[in-house]
Amino acid sequence: MSELNAKDGAHEVDEANPLEQSTITMLDVLEQEKELEDEYAAVLGASDEKSCTYAKGAIGRQALYSCLTCCPEAREDLDKAAGVCLACSYRCHEHHELVELYTKRNFRCDCPTQRLGKCSLNPQVEGIQPRNVGNLYNQNFQGLYCKCRRPYPDPDRTVEEVMLQCAICEDWFHLPHMKAPGASEKWLDVCSEMICDGCMDAKPFLKDYAGLALQPVVDDVKEAKPEAEDHQLKNELDRSICDIMKVPEGESQPEEGEPSQKRAKLEDCRRPKPAKQHQGAAFWTNDWRKSLCQCSECLSLYKELAVEFLLDAEDSAKTYEERGMKRAEENSSYEQGIRALASIDRTQQIDAITEYNRMKDKLKEYLQAFAASKKVVTEEDINRFFAGMRNENNANLGQPYFCR
């Protein structure tokens, strides 16, 4: 995953009419940079890139990586797997074969433990630490995903693949490989979380809350006009929590800060009793977790099934991404670039974009050689390219410039 495919990195050149090639402005460059920053921030979720998180204990959510260079046996034996934090992936496992795990909950970095050995970011830790018994490992640590147990990206797939992460087991699944309602593909952009069919069966109490999930369009509506179908989907999203939870009309949900005597008694179980049993995966709307019953019986059930994290407002992957986006906004290269662009005159702007276009053309030419030979572009190849560019620029220092 850390490598760039040359077919993706190279662009075709219109040899027939090169004058019609699209031009690029400095603002375009900054906007492209911002898109990359946003994606980067969402994946890393404000994870610490300088300090190993082992000393902090189990982190609610952080960016994690599995090192198959240090743990080659993990390919066949999951008990040999290990996960490292973002900082250790940079300092202790650079140039190793890493599997990007996105994020896992309540995980403690394995770098200074018996699974991996001494961590260069924890010199104060004496000796190799015992294993983190609280860590959970699944097939993702082996570079495998879904019920099909295939890698991502899958070299044998010829079409785009979309995968969703289950909010319970945190494995990733292809939509066609799950038992799921027929209209699920329409919900990918509107659902907040997904729970796979296996976890819905393993935690049957979740089916009682299926009324909070997006519902399939019934057969007679499928034959209606598209506008009617969209209207029904919108109505499904707009249904009130009170209706779903069968709260009597006129009785409102208690607001934060209200006296305890005005709140519903925790001993009164508010788990809904659906008329129809849910089947398959569930696609949930925003804030569905807030409707989970917190009576003593349900709290005991959550503990027994090891899903107490569902009551943690900071647990969801969406919240994790939002933290990363907020951090990125505070130190955005896009904003810095806009300010820098406004501080230089037009001649300097032209010089800057000219140099950028020269670098882009040389990089395109460089990558086309890899595309022609169907070779993968590695980090070393990219570093070699930019080292050559720096040497070329240094050689031109002090040379007279002639305007043509």
Side-chain angles (χ1 to χ4, degrees):
M1 290 186 183
S2 60
E3 297 178 343
L4 173 67
N5 192 308
K7 292 187 290 184
D8 297 329
H11 300 275
E12 294 183 359
V13 179
D14 186 358
E15 299 179 354
N17 190 357
L19 295 178
E20 293 184 358
Q21 294 183 42
S22 60
T23 58
I24 188 169
T25 67
M26 182 61 78
L27 187 59
D28 293 331
V29 174
L30 294 175
E31 289 178 346
Q32 291 173 5
E33 179 71 14
K34 185 176 186 302
E35 291 179 2
L36 291 175
E37 280 186 349
D38 289 345
E39 182 178 352
Y40 177 84
V43 170
L44 298 186
S47 298
D48 191 340
E49 60 187 32
K50 297 181 180 180
S51 303
C52 174
T53 60
Y54 174 82
K56 299 177 182 178
I59 303 296
R61 281 203 175 277
Q62 62 176 317
L64 287 174
Y65 303 83
S66 171
C67 185
L68 295 180
T69 299
C70 295
C71 303
E73 303 93 342
R75 299 179 188 275
E76 304 297 332
D77 184 0
L78 193 56
D79 288 337
K80 303 293 185 181
V84 299
C85 65
L86 178 63
C88 287
S89 74
Y90 291 156
R91 292 288 299 277
C92 307
H93 302 270
E94 186 179 12
H95 305 308
H96 289 193
E97 183 181 355
L98 297 176
V99 178
E100 183 180 335
L101 300 172
Y102 179 47
T103 177
K104 303 290 184 186
R105 67 170 59 89
N106 300 329
F107 196 94
R108 190 179 191 184
C109 181
D110 283 324
C111 199
T113 70
Q114 294 173 351
R115 286 184 178 249
L116 287 172
K118 190 171 180 60
C119 173
S120 61
L121 292 177
N122 282 286
Q124 73 282 3
V125 177
E126 297 182 1
I128 299 176
Q129 301 301 301
R131 293 188 175 190
N132 296 317
V133 294
N135 287 352
L136 298 178
Y137 306 87
N138 63 12
Q139 65 173 352
N140 299 167
F141 287 79
Q142 300 171 304
L144 304 176
Y145 305 86
C146 190
K147 297 178 181 179
C148 60
R149 291 182 57 80
R150 296 293 299 168
Y152 179 88
D154 190 338
D156 294 335
R157 289 182 71 93
T158 57
V159 296
E160 181 182 3
E161 56 182 321
V162 177
M163 303 189 77
L164 301 175
Q165 187 181 37
C166 173
I168 302 293
C169 67
E170 298 191 293
D171 198 354
W172 293 78
F173 295 89
H174 297 103
L175 193 58
H177 296 171
M178 291 187 296
K179 297 177 182 177
S184 300
E185 292 185 8
K186 300 178 181 179
W187 302 337
L188 298 184
D189 293 331
V190 294
C191 74
S192 174
E193 292 184 293
M194 183 276 293
I195 297 181
C196 70
D197 51 343
C199 287
M200 289 295 291
D201 289 338
K203 324 289 184 186
F205 80 92
L206 289 169
K207 297 183 179 183
D208 295 340
Y209 293 93
L212 298 174
L214 297 171
Q215 303 298 319
V217 179
V218 294
D219 294 339
D220 56 339
V221 177
K222 288 182 179 179
E223 299 176 359
K225 295 181 180 180
E227 304 86 48
E229 185 173 312
D230 292 340
H231 181 67
Q232 177 167 340
L233 182 57
K234 182 179 184 301
N235 287 341
E236 186 65 39
L237 290 172
D238 292 340
R239 289 189 307 161
S240 70
I241 298 299
C242 290
D243 290 339
I244 296 171
M245 298 297 294
K246 298 182 180 180
V247 176
E249 187 175 356
E251 180 182 342
S252 60
Q253 293 286 343
E255 298 181 0
E256 294 184 5
E258 285 190 30
S260 58
Q261 62 266 27
K262 289 186 178 181
R263 294 175 172 270
K265 295 181 179 178
L266 292 181
E267 296 307 317
D268 295 337
C269 185
R270 303 180 66 83
R271 192 195 310 177
K273 295 178 172 51
K276 183 178 180 182
Q277 185 77 346
H278 179 86
Q279 298 294 329
F283 299 78
W284 305 90
T285 56
N286 288 329
D287 299 329
W288 72 275
R289 296 190 186 197
K290 293 182 179 179
S291 298
L292 292 173
C293 178
Q294 297 189 42
C295 71
S296 58
E297 181 180 350
C298 286
L299 291 177
S300 297
L301 178 63
Y302 303 153
K303 183 176 182 179
E304 178 185 346
L305 296 177
V307 292
E308 294 172 288
F309 55 80
L310 289 176
L311 301 178
D312 182 2
E314 300 296 316
D315 172 76
S316 71
K318 180 180 179 181
T319 303
Y320 166 83
E321 292 184 354
E322 289 173 349
R323 288 198 297 269
M325 298 290 284
K326 182 178 180 180
R327 178 184 178 185
E329 289 176 0
E330 297 172 353
N331 189 27
S332 171
S333 296
Y334 174 77
E335 297 297 337
Q336 295 175 7
I338 290 295
R339 289 194 293 269
L341 190 61
S343 66
I344 61 178
D345 60 33
R346 181 168 177 79
T347 300
Q348 292 173 313
Q349 291 180 17
I350 293 175
D351 288 343
I353 199 63
T354 298
E355 285 301 309
Y356 174 84
N357 283 327
R358 185 175 73 87
M359 181 274 293
K360 184 189 70 171
D361 292 339
K362 285 185 172 292
L363 180 59
K364 183 188 299 182
E365 180 181 351
Y366 182 73
L367 292 176
Q368 283 179 333
F370 287 86
S373 59
K374 298 183 178 180
K375 292 177 59 179
V376 171
V377 183
T378 66
E379 182 180 355
E380 292 180 357
D381 295 324
I382 296 299
N383 290 337
R384 189 179 303 112
F385 168 80
F386 283 105
M389 288 291 294
R390 284 193 293 270
N391 293 335
E392 183 178 328
N393 290 337
N394 292 335
N396 291 332
L397 288 177
Q399 298 296 321
Y401 176 77
F402 299 99
C403 181
R404 292 182 175 85

